[in-house]
């Protein structure tokens, strides 16, 4: 039994962002097209502030046009819908991301439904979910898209492999299953109602854990040599009891990493695995949306990047 | 080993049509709402002629308003799109079905995309595929909806059962998987690229075969006691060699029925299993669309019918 290869999502994402930056330079030069991403943040949620700042920085680093709209927490739904409508009609904006969660007085579903599906770079609109489901070109949710790229880079062709996705959220589990099915995997979706989850996981050549429960997937749930993609990011008390008592925390995934390493052929760590891929795929979706708005193909340096599923 | 219970889809569909007729009478009486279905047939395909006639007859028998538009084979795409647009805006029509296949000079995808999703009683529009995928109320393709009703009637709660769907078409396999996932099954989608299909099928508590290959699923692929739903309808030569030589045929499913009966706990026959459910579910979708157009719930005699998933 040899130890798993650690899939370096941080390096992969950095490489992908570099290719996207080259692609942006290419469409700027050849087509005078400047991909633009608008991020909308309502309220003062500290985690959201960090995400939004990172998204803005990485968008600019990729050479894209970046706009951030920071609205007060008491913004009305009507005002937010007016902003979305304005962005839908703004020709300099190709991607619109409304940062979740929204304040409780706003109907998130109504706001997400108001985004032009062609600019829905989060891939949460029902039209994009439907296009993905029936196999039409879609904007695909960033996290599962990033997982697929890591998998293709690690495994090569996924054809005929048995993929088990644990979790059935609209944001990760369900679109992940669709992508794996398109890649010709036999796909099993397991979840909290699955009767023998350990045994189901043991049948996986590819195991994607997206349940949000710290270290739920144990080492002996993993088939020898399987590729494990850990989507979970859970904050738990620090290992050292004194530090934990002082309120120190650490991040763990949905997979018990140290145990799993002994069984898996390859595995993503937390942090530094799937996490960095999400914003990189947001940039990829923005470039895709910009190119499609002009009827252009993605530039070749992007379509030939490692693991690119397009 | 006891022999499987035969699931009588013909009787079930007749019962469902009766409940729907009661439901139609109810909304007519209480809300002056007459559900209306428009079926559009382009060209002279003999099988399509039969389907369309059956749909019209069963629609009228259920007390609904029924309109059939028969257009010549050389109808232009523009003319067909104009008709769809007219039906989209016709308040007496709640369901629109464009019979497939369309003549080769017409882009079927463009025509299906033009149907108002609220009237898309076939459930093929990307908006309905997306709504089903994310768990919003949708119009669901008729055949998988019928399969789900037969399953619920046969098994009761599906929670925690392992369902294996063989086939990944947009019309049956993929929406079937979504419905089974919503019903809390652990769901595996297998297909032509699946490496060990027999072994995958043997793990199924519920096996749905929708591949269009005569008798591909053998008896020993079926777990003792599993419930088998056979969606295939394949025409093969008659058993008697003389009759076969004379061009006589018979219908078989995707499952080797005689073999499978010895293993399954329950199984649908072909014909007389899933087939009759499809038009019954078309009527159900039309009633659903009509009720939703007025913001009404489905009448209670329908929501309490056997196997009703609503």
């Amino acid at each position: 039994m040899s130890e798993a290869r650690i899939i370096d999502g941080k390096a992969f994402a950095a490489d992908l962002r570099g290719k996207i930056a080259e692609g942006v330079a290419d469409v700027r030069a050849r087509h005078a097209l400047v991909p633009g991403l608008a991020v909308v943040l309502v309220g003062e949620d500290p985690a959201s502030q960090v995400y939004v700042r990172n998204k803005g920085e990485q968008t600019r680093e990729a050479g894209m046009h970046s706009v951030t709209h920071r609205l007060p927490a008491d913004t009305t739904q009507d005002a937010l819908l007016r902003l979305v409508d304005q962005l839908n009609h703004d020709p300099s904006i190709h991607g619109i991301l409304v940062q979740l969660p929204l304040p409780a007085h706003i109907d998130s579903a109504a706001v997400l439904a108001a985004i032009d599906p062609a600019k829905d770079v989060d891939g949460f609109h029902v039209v994009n979910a439907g296009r993905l489901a029936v196999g039409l070109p879609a904007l695909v949710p960033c996290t599962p898209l990033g997982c697929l790229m890591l998998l293709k880079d690690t495994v090569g062709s996924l054809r005929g492999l048995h993929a088990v996705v644990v979790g059935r959220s609209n944001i990760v589990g369900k679109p992940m299953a669709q992508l794996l099915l398109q890649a010709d995997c036999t796909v099993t979706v397991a979840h909290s109602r699955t009767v023998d989850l350990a045994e189901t996981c043991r049948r996986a050549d590819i195991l994607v854990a997206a349940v949000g429960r710290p270290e739920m997937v144990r080492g002996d749930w993993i088939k020898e040599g399987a590729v494990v993609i850990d989507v979970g990011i859970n904050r738990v008390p620090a290992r050292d009891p004194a530090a934990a008592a002082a309120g120190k925390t650490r991040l763990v995934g949905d997979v018990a990493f140290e145990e799993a390493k002994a069984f898996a052929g390859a595995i993503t760590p937390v942090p530094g695995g799937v996490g960095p891929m999400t914003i990189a795929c947001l940039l990829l979706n923005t470039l895709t949306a910009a190119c499609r708005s002009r009827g252009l193909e993605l530039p070749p340096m992007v379509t030939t990047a490692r693991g690119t599923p397009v």
Side-chain angles (χ1 to χ4, degrees), chain A:
Chain A
M1 194 187 295
S2 62
E3 194 159 279
R5 178 185 145 200
I6 308 302
I7 299 171
D8 186 345
K10 198 172 164 186
F12 189 99
D15 187 62
L16 178 60
R17 289 199 307 272
K19 298 291 183 195
I20 292 168
E22 289 175 36
V24 170
D26 180 72
V27 296
R28 287 180 84 129
R30 289 197 298 138
H31 304 286
L33 171 60
V34 183
L37 174 65
V39 176
V40 180
L41 174 62
V42 183
E44 315 285 335
D45 181 71
S48 293
Q49 302 261 10
V50 174
Y51 295 144
V52 165
R53 193 166 55 238
N54 287 344
K55 286 168 185 172
E57 278 169 14
Q58 294 191 21
T59 306
R60 280 187 296 278
E61 277 169 19
M64 297 187 188
H65 172 53
S66 167
V67 182
T68 303
H69 293 267
R70 290 188 171 77
L71 306 180
D74 63 354
T75 300
T76 65
Q77 182 166 324
D78 275 357
L80 182 54
L81 288 172
R82 276 196 301 277
L83 174 59
V84 168
D85 185 61
Q86 177 196 315
L87 295 169
N88 282 343
H89 291 93
D90 183 339
S92 76
I93 296 298
H94 306 95
I96 302 168
L97 185 150
V98 177
Q99 182 68 44
L100 301 179
L102 289 169
H105 68 279
I106 293 178
D107 176 357
S108 300
V111 173
L112 296 181
I115 296 172
D116 179 349
K119 297 189 177 186
D120 167 43
V121 284
D122 252 346
F124 295 166
H125 195 288
V126 289
V127 165
N128 280 312
R131 294 181 68 88
L132 176 62
V134 304
L136 289 170
L139 288 167
V140 177
C142 300
T143 300
L145 182 58
C147 294
L148 182 70
M149 294 182 78
L150 293 177
L151 279 168
K152 288 204 166 180
D153 186 57
T154 303
V155 181
S157 169
L158 308 185
R159 174 172 291 179
L161 296 179
H162 184 196
V164 175
V165 178
V166 187
R168 52 173 166 171
S169 71
N170 290 332
I171 294 176
V172 183
K174 287 197 272 188
M176 185 80 252
Q178 299 282 5
L179 288 169
L180 291 164
L181 192 58
Q182 268 180 21
D184 288 335
C185 291
T186 303
V187 179
T188 297
V189 181
H191 46 78
S192 56
R193 302 296 182 182
T194 293
V195 172
D196 191 345
L197 190 54
E199 187 54 34
T200 301
C201 290
R202 266 179 218 117
R203 294 192 187 121
D205 302 309
I206 292 170
L207 181 62
V208 180
V211 283
R213 293 179 59 183
E215 302 181 319
M216 186 185 72
V217 176
R218 311 310 309 187
D220 66 355
W221 296 20
I222 293 165
K223 187 203 279 192
E224 185 79 36
V227 178
V228 178
I229 303 290
D230 188 350
V231 181
I233 301 179
N234 311 286
R235 196 167 282 285
V236 298
R239 269 212 188 81
D240 175 62
K248 298 273 187 202
T249 59
R250 63 190 175 105
L251 292 179
V252 298
D254 292 345
V255 179
F257 182 76
E258 291 301 329
E259 291 176 23
K261 252 186 351 187
F263 294 86
I267 184 169
T268 59
V270 176
V274 172
M277 290 301 291
T278 298
I279 296 184
C281 286
L282 175 67
L283 302 181
L284 178 60
N285 277 349
T286 303
L287 178 57
T288 300
C291 288
R292 285 188 189 153
S293 76
R294 295 269 196 98
L296 302 172
E297 300 288 321
L298 274 174
M301 59 286 275
V302 178
T303 53
T304 57
R306 289 163 56 194
T308 306
V310 284

